[in-house]
């Protein structure tokens, strides 16, 4: 019985996700779904990313959180159109929540829509939002055992940002093992090693974002 209900929920979500994908594509917008644990550094990475995309791409942001507009306020300070979704308890965004806020954007004026999902390494990956790419942000201090413990998010992601590499000397993470395990789950995944705090490693990440998006003409 429970399995049947879950299947229905996911089937409905998938239909709405396909509608969102069509809306994004018709507007010429590349949408990405950023996922990762609470505090992995998703919003910090977005802030540094938006600064660097100025003049190269027009980006919009959808922020997902259980409560508060704190992340949207951080993004708004960068002069980028942003809408905060509060799930009111749900541990992930779903396609319906995203669809409801799309009219708040002038999509035809955007090239890239970055959706920051609710901080969670498990649930968000089950719910497509209509994005072209899923991206996982894993801060290295979470531990090099995480890919094998939470494989689905790495399997479904096009790219993974290994954030907080500035803290490498302060934890026992083995970067070689970490990258080996990620690639064993998803051999095609792109890996970016970044410190959003010190702003290192961002060039390759920005280059990749430009490669998947339609630049401003
Ligand atoms: N040392 C270090 N700290 C970082 C880095 N990136 C982010 N942080 C810090 O990590 C904390 C969490 O960062 P956020 O960007 O809010 O993380 P988040 O993933 O958006 O968190 P949620 O939205 O709550 O899931 C903040 O104190 C950041 O300053 C980094 O590269 N290095
Ligand atoms: Mg955040």
């Amino acid at each position: 019985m429970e399995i049947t209900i879950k299947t229905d929920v996911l089937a409905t979500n998938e239909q709405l996700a396909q509608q969102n994908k069509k809306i994004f594509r018709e507007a010429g917008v590349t949408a990405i779904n950023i996922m990762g644990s609470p505090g992995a550094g998703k919003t910090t990475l977005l802030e540094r990313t938006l600064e660097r995309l100025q003049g190269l791409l027009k980006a919009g942001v959808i922020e997902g959180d259980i409560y508060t507009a704190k992340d949207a306020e951080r993004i708004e300070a960068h002069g980028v159109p942003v809408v905060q979704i509060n799930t009111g308890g749900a541990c992930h965004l779903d396609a319906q929540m995203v669809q409801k806020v799309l009219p708040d954007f002038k999509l035809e004026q955007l090239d890239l829509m970055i959706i920051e999902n609710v901080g969670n390494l498990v649930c968000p990956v089950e719910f497509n939002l209509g994005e072209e790419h899923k991206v996982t942000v894993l801060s290295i201090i979470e531990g090099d055992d995480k890919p094998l413990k939470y494989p689905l998010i790495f399997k479904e992601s096009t790219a993974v940002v290994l954030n907080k590499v500035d803290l490498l000397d302060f934890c026992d993470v083995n970067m070689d093992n970490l990258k080996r395990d990620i690639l064993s789950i998803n051999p095609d995944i792109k890996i970016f090693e970044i410190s959003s705090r010190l702003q290192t490693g961002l060039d390759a990440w920005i280059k990749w974002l430009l490669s998947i998006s339609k630049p401003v003409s």
Side-chain angles (χ1 to χ4, degrees), residues 34-48 63-65 71 74 116-120 137 139 141-142 162-167 194-200:
I34 309 254
M35 307 174 295
S37 304
K42 298 179 291 300
T43 310
T44 311
L45 175 70
L46 285 196
E47 290 183 276
R48 302 292 83 79
E63 281 291 345
D65 263 311
D71 283 359
R74 287 166 64 184
E116 179 183 340
N117 219 309
V118 178
N120 187 318
V137 178
S139 58
I141 52 175
E142 291 170 61
L162 301 178
N163 192 35
K164 307 195 187 182
V165 294
D166 54 293
L167 298 178
I194 287 177
S195 166
S196 299
R197 180 163 182 267
L198 299 184
Q199 305 200 35
T200 60

Side-chain angles (χ1 to χ4, degrees), residues 5 21 24 30 49 84 92 116 120 128 130-131 187 216:
I5 292 168
K21 185 173 264 190
F24 284 129
T30 301
T49 299
Q84 177 81 53
H92 58 269
E116 179 183 340
N120 187 318
N128 289 329
E131 71 275 17
V216 180

Side-chain angles (χ1 to χ4, degrees), residues 54-170:
Q54 290 278 345
L56 299 174
L57 278 185
K58 286 190 186 147
V61 175
I62 296 173
E63 281 291 345
D65 263 311
I66 298 178
Y67 307 110
T68 89
K70 285 178 184 291
D71 283 359
E73 286 162 11
R74 287 166 64 184
I75 298 299
E76 196 170 32
H78 295 268
V80 170
V82 57
V83 174
Q84 177 81 53
I85 298 173
N86 283 144
T87 65
C91 55
H92 58 269
L93 290 175
D94 66 32
Q96 186 178 32
M97 296 175 196
V98 169
Q99 193 164 102
K100 274 189 187 158
V101 302
L102 292 183
D104 294 342
F105 292 92
K106 291 178 179 146
L107 285 180
E108 65 287 350
Q109 295 181 6
L110 300 180
D111 304 303
L112 179 67
M113 178 67 82
I114 306 176
I115 307 169
E116 179 183 340
N117 219 309
V118 178
N120 187 318
L121 212 48
V122 180
C123 310
V125 71
E126 302 264 8
F127 291 81
N128 289 329
L129 306 177
E131 71 275 17
E132 294 293 330
H133 300 285
K134 291 179 168 60
V135 175
T136 297
V137 178
L138 181 78
S139 58
I140 60 162
I141 52 175
E142 291 170 61
D144 53 25
D145 57 346
K146 294 304 170 289
L148 295 184
K149 289 178 76 174
Y150 304 93
L152 190 58
I153 200 164
F154 297 94
K155 185 165 180 284
E156 296 297 323
S157 292
T158 311
V160 58
V161 172
L162 301 178
N163 192 35
K164 307 195 187 182
V165 294
D166 54 293
L167 298 178
L168 191 54
D169 291 343
F170 301 98

